[in-house]
């Protein structure tokens, strides 16, 4: 019978586990935090992209999900400007943001909401579109909004409202942000049926799918550590 291997030649599972944990901790410690300038640049760039996407959807008389979609619905009913409604709708969600995500996240989110509200009011002064295919508006509008949100998410910011809830669910329970928001957006789009045509709702669903698939593919838990 062969002699058994000496005990010292068999690595301890606890040592391997400790080494793996230490490696992960060292990797996390080596990450550089985003500077204030980088965060400010991300807030401006992200909200500019989203505002352009929202403008395309609005020009084509489409609708989208999230807090932006709720603001659109209320705008159609009351006639109050989108920017004012969007800013006001987000106010109740700041409590959840502070409670669950922290002050730093909340301040960034407040800044992003303010910038999007402002850019949405100013954009008609610098760009006018005479002809726009609804399908193109849905695809490009959803894609621009998705990329803009991705920029904000990676700098620990959002556009408030449903975005805050979605990010909280992802960080707490590991639920995919894009897929959760896709379901919520679909519900909002269904509520818009009395206000816009069924064809516009169907095309709007395409835009919502583009936005949320962009997030689902590019914003997975643990793949990117935004600090």
């Amino acid at each position: 019978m062969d002699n058994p291997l000496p005990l010292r030649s068999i690595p301890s599972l606890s040592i391997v586990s400790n080494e793996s944990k230490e490696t992960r901790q060292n990797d996390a410690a080596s990450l550089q935090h985003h500077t204030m300038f980088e965060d400010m640049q991300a807030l401006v760039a992200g909200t500019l992209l989203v505002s352009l996407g929202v403008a395309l959807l609005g020009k084509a008389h489409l609708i989208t999900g999230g807090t932006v979609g709720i603001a659109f619905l209320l705008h159609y009913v009351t006639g109050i400007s989108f920017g004012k409604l969007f800013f006001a709708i987000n106010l109740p969600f700041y409590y959840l943001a502070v409670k669950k995500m922290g002050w730093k996240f909340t301040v960034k989110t407040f800044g992003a909401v303010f910038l999007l509200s402002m850019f949405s009011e100013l954009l008609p002064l610098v760009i006018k579109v005479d002809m726009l295919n609804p399908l193109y508006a849905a695809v490009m509008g959803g894609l621009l909004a998705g990329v803009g949100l991705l920029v904000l998410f990676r700098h620990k910011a959002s556009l408030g409202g449903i975005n805050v809830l979605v990010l909280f669910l992802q960080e707490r329970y590991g639920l995919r942000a894009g897929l959760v928001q896709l379901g919520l957006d679909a519900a909002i789009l269904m509520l818009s049926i009395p206000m816009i045509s069924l064809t516009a709702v169907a095309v709007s669903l395409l835009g919502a799918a583009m936005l949320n698939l962009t997030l689902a593919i590019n914003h997975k838990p643990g793949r990117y550590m935004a600090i």
Side-chain angles (χ1 to χ4, degrees):
M1 180 182 292
D2 294 336
N3 292 328
L5 291 173
L7 290 179
R8 65 175 181 271
S9 67
I10 303 176
S12 170
L13 293 178
S14 62
I15 294 176
V16 173
S17 177
N18 290 336
E19 288 178 349
S20 299
K21 183 185 296 184
E22 184 177 349
T23 300
R24 290 194 299 269
Q25 291 174 348
N26 290 336
D27 291 341
S30 65
L31 291 174
Q32 294 183 352
H33 288 259
H34 291 131
T35 65
M36 181 178 295
F37 173 79
E38 290 170 340
D39 285 337
M40 292 175 63
Q41 179 272 336
L43 293 183
V44 173
T47 51
L48 278 173
L49 289 169
V50 175
S51 67
L52 182 55
V54 169
L56 291 176
L57 295 172
K59 181 64 178 179
H61 302 289
L62 303 177
I63 197 165
T64 186
T67 316
V68 173
I70 297 174
F72 267 136
L73 291 177
L74 293 178
H75 169 67
Y76 295 150
V77 173
T78 65
I80 301 174
S81 69
F82 167 83
K84 293 177 181 177
L85 287 169
F86 179 72
F87 187 82
I89 290 171
N90 278 284
L91 293 177
F93 289 94
Y94 292 127
Y95 173 78
L96 176 63
V98 172
K99 193 77 173 177
K100 302 299 183 181
M101 310 297 288
W103 277 103
K104 188 175 181 180
F105 173 88
T106 305
V107 170
K108 292 179 182 179
T109 294
F110 180 85
V113 169
F114 174 79
L115 288 172
L116 180 57
S117 300
M118 181 180 68
F119 291 152
S120 296
E121 297 295 316
L122 296 177
L123 198 59
L125 301 177
V126 297
I127 184 173
K128 292 184 179 181
V129 180
D130 295 328
M131 191 281 293
L132 183 62
N133 183 284
L135 289 174
Y136 178 84
V139 172
M140 286 304 300
L143 184 59
L144 284 168
V147 173
L149 283 172
L150 185 62
V151 172
L152 296 176
F153 286 177
R154 289 189 169 181
H155 284 259
K156 285 294 183 180
S158 77
L159 288 177
I162 291 178
N163 289 152
V164 173
L165 179 62
V166 165
L167 283 178
F168 166 71
L169 292 175
Q170 174 164 289
E171 294 206 0
R172 175 62 66 88
Y173 302 108
L175 301 177
R176 296 275 287 276
L179 297 180
V180 173
Q181 187 156 345
L182 181 60
L184 296 173
D185 288 349
I188 294 171
L189 289 170
M190 292 300 101
L191 293 175
S192 70
I193 292 177
M195 303 175 194
I196 61 177
S197 67
L198 289 175
T199 301
V201 172
V203 177
S204 297
L205 282 171
L206 175 62
M210 287 298 301
L211 188 159
N212 291 289
L213 286 175
T214 299
L215 295 179
I217 293 171
N218 296 284
H219 191 68
K220 296 181 180 180
R223 174 171 289 184
Y224 180 90
M225 296 184 65
I227 55 176

